[in-house]
Amino acid sequence: MLCLLVASALPVRADARAPETEPGFDPVSPSPRPAGDWLRDYRMLAAAAPVHCSTPDIPSLDRHAPARAFILEPRAAQSQSQPLIATIKDPIVERFIVLAEAADGCIRVHESGRSLPFEQRSLSSPFPNARLPAALGETPAVAIVIDHQSVRPWIELIPEARFQCLSEQLWIAISMFTGMLATLFVIALLVTRYQRSRLTLAYLAYLIALQFYQLQALGLGPAWLPFWPPPSAHHLLQAFAAGTAVIGLSLLAITFLRPGGWMRSVLIASVALSAGGFYLAAFNAGAYRFGAAILPLLAILVIVLLARRLREGEPAMRWFAVGLAAALGGGGIQAAAVVTQGAWLPPMAAFAFPLGNVIESICWLIAILMRLRATNLSLQHRLIHEAQHDPLTGLRSRASMHAHLVNAIAAAKSSPHPTPGLIFIDLGGFRRINDRFGQARGDQVLCCFSTMLRELGLEAEAIGRFGGDEFMVLMRRDAHWSHTEGAAATILARFREPIRIDDDSVLIRPDIGLLRITADYDSVDEVLQDADRALQVSKQFGGRRATPFESRMREDAKAQEALKRALEEAIRTHQLDLHYQPIVTFESMTPVGFEALLRWQRPGQKSIAVEQVFVVAESAGLLGALGERIIELALAQIADWQRRGVWSPGLFLSINACEQQLIDGRFLDDLHGALQTHGVDACALRLELSERSLGTDLDWSRLVLPRLLNQHILLGVDNFGAGLASLTMLTDLQPDFIKVDRSLVAALPNLPRAQHLARIGCLLAEQIGSLAVAEGIETQGQLDTLREFGFEHGQGRLIAAPMSGAETAGWLQLAARAHDQPLTENSWQMKLH
């Protein structure tokens, strides 16, 4: 198409010679006289013609369009044998006028061409043509060629029978060409429907532009389509067809070759200039030549870009190059004929360009299909990779690890070789990292952990992220069990110290469960359950350790599951109750408050520690229901004591809570609502938090304390000396009281280290403005030692055992009478601050 557009803009030379003809025909000679002179002569001949002759309509010339005259000189013998057809083998010529004088003196005028109605041609043929009289007069027959772009002297005299046969062949060729373009368009539509992309849409646009250009250029539009615009719109249609053809061709080339940078900008600018020139040709014929002059630059740029892309070795690019070469070759044949002005072309060669376009379209369709197939394969491989790998960490995904575990189980059943080991990792406290630093930083922690895990050089078959903060390392099948244990130890050692992420120091605490995958396992679920059981044991022992799975863990897990169901039933049927132990001042042994101790009376079962109840509730998702029950019991009891008149405004009741409850705002909201419902002052309540919960990365000052202070609720620290709380965290927390753990109190008489720690606890409480409370006082010796160390408050069975609500009311009355003081007097009431 580019070559034909360039050729159509080339001017004819003044000294052009007529093309040589086949043997048996005289040559067609260019006339030395202008075309206008011949028209004037024939008008005079028509005026002097005999009366029986019809008056011919001799056309006039367009002074803006180039015109050339050629003398037709058939041999006398040939002209008498059969009628001759004067034709021009240029299907896109605008006007082809044949003037001839018959032997009887009548003038015959025939005009045809692309810009005229198709039915004006003497014979139905893609080539403009005119039938000569059987016998010519004395005046030479003349053919005049008129075209705004270029005059091509491809004129020939052909016997009518042979021309008819040639025309039939050409019609078949054109029909095949049009049908193939239509077929390619349908295929492209189906491909676009299946996979819509910029490339398929560009190919559709290219086919539409090519079909439109061919219909206009060959003059077939008016012949085939009844709605085609009239000949008066020829110049407009030609300009529009040429500009659209350039855009369609270039759009597909740019989309397929994907140029970048300056090359893309130059290509787009060249397309805009060339197409603009062709569009402007509708108003100024000279603009057509400007548009055609830009096309060689555009062709060179496309060829250079294609040469670069061919180095990449893409098969689709080779097919694109073959298609482009076919189009350039087909158009080049016609362009060469225009340049040489007189080079003889066989009739079928006039359609070398359309044939090249068909080959080009087929090759480009193949290239596009290959490109789409390669894209689909790439997308498929990417989807497979994404399905097998975690998008955040790049480790194997859950589904991929599941498949590896299936293969490991099958290998364990079929092979006598050592069974593979499985390392199941959970990042302890990762939720707190998210809460403290935000989810984005949490993702960075996961990525950092994954990278470091890969860099440890473990003898692993697969390393994957199983979900959330859970990771899995499947060792190779030939790796000994000691390698699995060694890999777990390596992981623990690597993350013993905090890691740096930007400006933050983050401590990663991996908890690990180890498992041998043996032939006893039938499913992945069984493997995961046992690995998780070993992992939970590691957590129960404080974490940061690796625990191999043992068969007894299954029984323990079953018992734990039964305990969860029992706790759920106990909460639902109100089997839980609270007992209350007084907290007194040592000087007068008068109460300052009480600790509410959860009691779960299970028939035939031993009692369960409060901390274990909270652990079971958290794992079973029952913390919310448990907290509601404890709040309801505690506040209802305070309200009952108030009605009995035994509760003094200076007393407080502390209830145990876990950090998860405090993080969850619903617990505090329920507490606030219950205080209002029961009419209890918030100052009468304290929340006790175990020191074990403070040895974490939780940002208490940001996440918890503001909500507590908002509701005027104070917080105390329980079990001091048994946990991992730092002094900095205790200072930031500013607890209302600090309770020294009962195990520390029990060791006071005999263990100097316990005595030192107790002194430190008392001094620390004094320094941070908290009350020091000793719990678990069982003997008089412990009480005396505590007094000696400076403790002023405590609780324990030596003072009073935990009691029911009614018993506590009676104890309060006895305590008031023992000191002979009315309950309303504040002299014995001790406040925390």
Side-chain angles (χ1 to χ4, degrees), residues 557-570 600 615-622:
K558 292 179 181 179
Q560 192 76 0
E561 188 63 32
L563 190 60
K564 292 178 182 179
R565 291 194 296 269
L567 178 58
E568 184 177 7
E569 178 69 16
W600 181 11
V615 171
V616 173
E618 183 176 4
S619 62
L622 298 173

Side-chain angles (χ1 to χ4, degrees), residues 389-450:
H389 294 79
D390 177 61
L392 177 63
T393 63
L395 299 179
R396 291 282 181 174
S397 64
R398 183 187 185 97
S400 179
M401 291 304 298
H402 188 281
H404 278 284
L405 291 177
V406 170
N407 295 335
I409 294 173
K413 290 182 176 294
S414 61
S415 175
H417 296 293
T419 57
L422 179 65
I423 304 175
F424 198 24
I425 308 171
D426 180 85
L427 301 186
F430 177 74
R431 182 181 299 177
R432 302 184 187 94
I433 295 176
N434 266 346
D435 293 338
R436 179 178 180 183
F437 298 105
Q439 186 171 357
R441 184 55 53 87
D443 290 344
Q444 287 183 304
V445 171
L446 293 177
C447 293
C448 182
F449 177 80
S450 303

Side-chain angles (χ1 to χ4, degrees), residues 420-483:
L422 179 65
I423 304 175
F424 198 24
I425 308 171
D426 180 85
L427 301 186
F430 177 74
R431 182 181 299 177
R432 302 184 187 94
I433 295 176
N434 266 346
D435 293 338
R436 179 178 180 183
F437 298 105
Q439 186 171 357
R441 184 55 53 87
D443 290 344
Q444 287 183 304
V445 171
L446 293 177
C447 293
C448 182
F449 177 80
S450 303
T451 302
M452 297 170 71
L453 195 62
R454 282 193 296 259
E455 293 173 350
L456 289 178
L458 309 176
E459 298 183 31
E461 179 179 332
I463 302 176
R465 181 187 178 196
F466 200 70
D469 58 345
E470 294 179 340
F471 295 82
M472 191 177 292
V473 179
L474 179 63
M475 303 298 289
R476 292 204 307 263
R477 299 173 189 175
D478 57 349
H480 192 266
W481 175 250
S482 61
H483 295 163

